[in-house]
């Protein structure tokens, strides 16, 4: 995108009918580090890449719990993301207090989108520079939404935002048809695989990614480092033995029977070598 | 000069007297509402009386109304405040429907909303002078709760307002059980309403029974209960105590 005379104000239309400031805000999302989300009928998994600026600093928080049944992953200006998370938490808490019932995620997402839209139509404001992947449960099941700075929102089976998200999206596009009936663990594994795609060769470690899960009977929570590392170890090794496009069941079975498999392979190679008769 | 000027004590929290918009006492009131959970949902009964003090003035006041798809509200106390509550709930359900998103407010949500409204009004010393009964069924879950004019709220298997608490609840505590059939539920409610008719001065013999199930709300046509006034002990009440009335 090149600089032009219609991009100074968010309230200025271009002759082609575009609001450049809004589009620039969406660019900010593309520059942030990756965040991905995927859902089945009963669970939603959010994941993000968390890289610290230097070895001395801690990494930025990009996944926020909004309520027991809603969580959000952000990409872009994390400060804007933090403020919007606070707004979401407030809305959820107020609804819970009045109705003693969880706020349906579909309604929260619309409120969020309306809030973002306001910033695209006031000359003294600027659009929020953050994209939000909102994961939540309501009466009609598990939902994953993407909220843009433009004030639009879309529902997804799986999505990725931020830098190098296209690699993750490609991976998700290939696999999304299976997600609906996927088990919770397989969903987490797919999330980790998708995160790995965005790293482009760099080793996937639990120290550089964060994974969170919410589902029926499972309140939103961020998985701790150990659990994540265990899951990474489980499928990375399988990835080496059986090829990178490991099937979901094979991954689960292999994790359980890893040692047995190793023993079998050792045994079979020996059996494969026959003593020379000559 | 106003010789009859009434003066509030210095530490009074009731606000300026010119503030004559606050509810001070009820004018047209409804008497008890009784409700219970049964196999398929909730049954609720209330008579159609609107009393003006001790006069049984209005005989066609419907004190039970459906709310949205899943709830039924019954009220005793000031009728105009009940109508005001119905307007609040109308707005609430309207905005809920406008979302058009497959989510809807169930009886639990409506009950809690009403609790907030009643409690907040009480805190401003301007109560809605009602005792409310909120029952409903949503996704197979039965719900029955009550809120008073001071914001006291709770849920139970059977609830009642006003005199119903003193006369009907003991009957219900004895005779209510899980999974009552519709017929048994109605019989039990009629038993309670009959006692109320005999003993509550503001009760009239014209009642409705409302039912709410997963399918929806049905409110019966008004009807009367059979009563018996020929108990020998009451035939000549002064017999045992000459001079009594």
């Amino acid at each position: 995108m090149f600089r032009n005379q219609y991009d100074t104000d968010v309230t200025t239309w271009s002759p082609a009918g575009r609001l450049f400031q809004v589009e620039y805000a969406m660019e900010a999302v593309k520059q942030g580090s990756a965040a991905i989300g995927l859902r089945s009928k009963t669970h939603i998994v959010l994941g993000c890449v968390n890289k610290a600026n230097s070895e001395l600093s801690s990494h930025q928080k990009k996944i926020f719990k909004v309520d027991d049944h809603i969580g959000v992953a952000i990409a872009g200006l994390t400060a804007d993301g933090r403020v919007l998370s606070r707004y979401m938490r407030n809305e959820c808490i107020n609804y819970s207090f009045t109705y003693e019932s969880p706020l349906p995620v579909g309604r929260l997402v619309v409120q969020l989108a309306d809030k973002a839209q306001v910033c695209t139509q006031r000359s003294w404001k600027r659009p929020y520079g953050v994209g939000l992947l909102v994961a939540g449960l309501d009466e009609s099941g598990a939902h994953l939404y993407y909220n843009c700075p433009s004030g639009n929102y879309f529902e997804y089976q799986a999505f990725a935002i931020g830098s190098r998200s296209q690699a993750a999206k490609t991976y998700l596009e290939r696999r999304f048809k299976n997600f609906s009936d996927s088990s919770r663990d397989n969903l987490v594994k797919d999330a980790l695989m998708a995160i790995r795609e965005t790293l482009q060769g760099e080793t996937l470690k639990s120290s550089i990614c964060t994974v969170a899960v919410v589902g029926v009977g499972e309140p939103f929570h961020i998985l701790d480092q150990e659990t994540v590392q265990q899951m990474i170890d489980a499928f990375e090794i399988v990835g080496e033995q059986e090829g990178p496009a490991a099937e979901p069941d094979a991954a689960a079975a292999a994790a359980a029977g890893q040692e047995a498999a190793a023993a079998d392979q050792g045994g079979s190679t020996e059996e494969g070598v026959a003593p020379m008769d000559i | 000069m106003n010789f009859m000027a009434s003066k509030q004590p210095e530490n009074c929290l009731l606000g300026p007297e010119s503030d004559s918009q606050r509810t001070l006492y009820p004018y047209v009131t409804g008497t008890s509402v009784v409700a219970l959970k049964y196999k398929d949902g909730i049954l609720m009964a209330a008579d159609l009386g609107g009393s003006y003090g001790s006069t049984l003035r209005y005989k066609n006041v419907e004190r039970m109304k459906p709310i949205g798809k899943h709830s039924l509200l019954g009220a005793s106390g000031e009728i105009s405040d009940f109508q005001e509550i119905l307007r609040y709930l109308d707005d609430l359900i309207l905005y809920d429907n406008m979302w058009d998103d497959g989510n809807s407010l169930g009886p639990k949500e409506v009950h809690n909303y009403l609790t907030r409204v009643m409690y907040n009004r009480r805190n401003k010393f301007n109560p809605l002078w009602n005792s409310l009964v909120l029952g409903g069924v949503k996704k197979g879950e039965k719900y029955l709760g009550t809120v008073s004019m001071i914001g006291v709220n709770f849920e139970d298997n059977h609830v009642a307002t006003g005199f119903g608490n003193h006369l009907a609840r003991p009957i219900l505590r004895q005779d209510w059980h899980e999974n009552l059939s519709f017929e048994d539920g109605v019989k039990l409610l009629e038993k309670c309403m009959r006692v109320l008719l005999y003993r509550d001065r503001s009760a009239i013999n014209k009642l409705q029974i409302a039912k709410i199930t997963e399918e929806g709300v049905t409110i019966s046509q008004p009807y009367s209960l059979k009563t018996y006034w020929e108990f020998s002990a009451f035939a000549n009440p002064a017999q045992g105590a000459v001079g009594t009335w």
Side-chain angles (χ1 to χ4, degrees):
Chain A
M1 233 177 286
F2 298 110
R3 230 192 161 295
N4 53 65
Q5 53 181 159
Y6 307 109
D7 67 356
T8 314
D9 277 320
V10 72
T11 48
T12 306
W13 287 100
S14 81
R18 294 159 71 169
L19 289 169
F20 281 104
Q21 278 296 307
V22 176
E23 293 183 27
Y24 295 165
M26 316 246 271
E27 276 300 309
V29 177
K30 292 184 205 161
Q31 301 302 330
S33 54
I36 59 116
L38 43 146
R39 70 169 168 99
S40 70
K41 279 206 201 86
T42 53
H43 287 79
I44 312 112
V45 179
L46 292 175
C48 67
V49 172
N50 269 132
K51 290 224 206 110
N53 274 334
S54 78
E55 275 181 31
L56 297 169
S57 73
S58 64
H59 54 73
Q60 282 198 316
K61 196 164 161 185
K62 282 163 49 83
I63 295 190
F64 298 90
K65 175 169 174 166
V66 167
D67 202 342
D68 283 336
H69 66 298
I70 301 182
V72 64
I74 62 169
L77 266 54
T78 38
D80 284 2
R82 202 180 57 239
V83 157
L84 287 176
S85 301
R86 190 185 310 134
Y87 167 75
M88 291 165 82
R89 284 171 179 166
N90 210 34
E91 291 300 301
C92 282
I93 253 183
N94 286 339
Y95 188 93
S96 267
F97 175 70
T98 309
Y99 301 101
E100 212 146 303
S101 205
L103 174 60
V105 62
R107 297 190 182 186
L108 178 62
V109 158
V110 173
Q111 283 173 262
L112 198 56
D114 287 348
K115 194 170 161 72
Q117 191 279 339
V118 166
C119 299
T120 66
Q121 215 176 6
R122 306 278 184 272
S123 58
W124 61 91
K125 285 180 183 263
R126 63 156 178 84
Y128 288 104
V130 64
L132 301 115
L133 282 171
V134 184
L137 298 166
D138 68 22
E139 265 175 35
S140 39
H143 298 275
L144 174 68
Y145 293 93
Y146 170 53
N147 277 70
C148 292
S150 60
N152 279 326
Y153 68 95
F154 309 92
E155 188 166 2
Y156 286 98
Q157 185 78 43
F159 200 49
I161 55 175
S163 66
R164 291 194 282 252
S165 59
Q166 189 50 54
K169 266 190 267 192
T170 315
Y171 173 83
L172 294 169
E173 267 164 39
R174 269 188 281 131
R175 313 289 301 271
F176 80 93
K177 292 209 174 87
N178 300 324
F179 291 163
S180 224
D181 298 310
S182 220
S183 75
R184 174 214 185 265
D185 287 341
N186 286 329
L187 215 60
V188 176
K189 288 199 172 88
D190 273 318
L192 286 165
M193 300 273 226
I195 296 174
R196 194 176 63 170
E197 297 293 313
T198 69
L199 294 170
Q200 293 199 340
E202 200 187 320
T203 331
L204 177 64
K205 294 187 290 248
S206 64
S207 54
I208 56 164
C209 70
T210 309
V211 180
V213 187
V214 61
V216 174
E218 189 178 350
F220 184 89
H221 64 286
I222 298 178
L223 302 180
D224 61 274
Q225 298 274 52
E226 283 167 38
T227 318
V228 175
Q229 191 56 49
Q230 274 169 16
M231 297 193 116
I232 293 173
D233 294 337
F235 77 73
E236 285 242 276
I237 297 173
V238 171
E240 284 169 25
Q241 284 178 338
E242 298 183 20
E247 281 171 24
D249 333 81
Q258 230 173 47
E259 271 153 65
D264 276 349
Q265 284 203 345
S268 61
T269 43
E270 271 173 14
E271 281 171 52
V273 177
M276 301 277 275
D277 274 333
I278 311 159
Chain B
M1 240 206 316
N2 192 355
F3 295 100
M4 302 287 275
S6 48
K7 193 167 175 279
Q8 293 176 20
E10 273 178 23
N11 55 355
C12 185
L13 295 166
L14 291 170
E17 263 203 12
S18 55
D19 199 14
S20 61
Q21 298 276 7
R22 278 189 287 115
T23 302
L24 298 170
Y25 6 79
Y27 286 92
V28 179
T29 55
T31 187
S32 326
V33 177
V34 190
L36 48 80
K37 280 190 192 166
Y38 80 109
K39 185 163 60 86
D40 304 324
I42 312 291
L43 281 168
M44 199 185 290
D47 68 24
L48 280 89
S51 303
Y52 186 61
S54 53
T55 311
L56 299 176
R57 177 112 180 251
Y58 302 103
K59 314 253 177 85
N60 208 12
V61 181
E62 290 203 15
R63 298 193 288 114
M64 296 184 295
K65 294 285 181 191
I67 309 292
K69 284 191 291 254
H70 307 283
S71 315
L72 178 63
L73 175 67
S76 68
E78 173 61 56
I79 299 298
S80 61
D81 281 351
F82 174 52
Q83 290 170 347
E84 184 77 352
I85 289 170
L86 290 176
R87 268 194 291 279
Y88 284 144
L89 289 176
D90 208 25
D91 278 351
L92 184 74
I93 300 294
L94 183 72
Y95 284 119
D96 189 42
N97 288 339
M98 268 169 41
W99 282 101
D100 196 21
D101 64 349
N103 291 302
S104 53
L105 292 171
K108 179 163 96 132
E109 288 81 24
V110 176
H111 183 225
N112 280 289
Y113 171 79
L114 286 171
T115 304
R116 291 296 117 228
V117 170
M118 301 299 272
Y119 184 65
N120 277 307
R121 289 289 296 254
R122 163 261 199 196
N123 284 338
K124 293 195 276 201
F125 284 94
N126 186 17
L128 287 158
W129 208 286
N130 294 108
S131 286
L132 305 168
V133 172
L134 199 297
V137 194
K138 192 172 173 207
K139 293 232 177 88
E141 297 258 341
K142 302 189 278 265
Y143 187 91
L144 182 59
T146 180
V147 198
S148 77
M149 69 187 254
I150 57 171
V152 174
N153 78 309
F154 55 90
E155 290 171 58
D156 209 337
N157 292 320
H158 47 81
V159 294
T161 67
F163 262 85
N165 271 312
H166 300 106
L167 298 172
R169 296 292 302 283
I171 299 174
L172 291 164
R173 280 184 204 119
Q174 199 173 51
D175 290 350
W176 184 90
H177 59 84
E178 201 78 59
N179 287 320
L180 280 162
S181 70
F182 174 73
E183 290 75 26
D184 286 343
V186 172
K187 266 209 221 87
L188 190 48
L189 278 180
E190 284 183 349
K191 186 176 180 186
C192 295
M193 293 305 279
R194 188 171 284 109
V195 172
L196 286 165
L197 180 59
Y198 284 130
R199 295 293 176 174
D200 181 4
R201 259 181 34 164
S202 14
I204 64 167
N205 196 4
K206 188 177 174 195
L207 72 142
Q208 286 176 312
I209 296 207
K211 155 173 89 103
I212 180 166
T213 62
E214 194 77 55
E215 280 79 54
V217 173
T218 327
I219 305 184
S220 72
Q221 284 300 314
Y223 69 102
S224 299
L225 295 169
K226 285 211 190 78
T227 54
Y228 183 70
W229 299 95
E230 306 312 314
F231 287 108
S232 53
F234 296 114
N236 189 8
Q239 192 174 43
V242 179
T244 191
W245 41 275

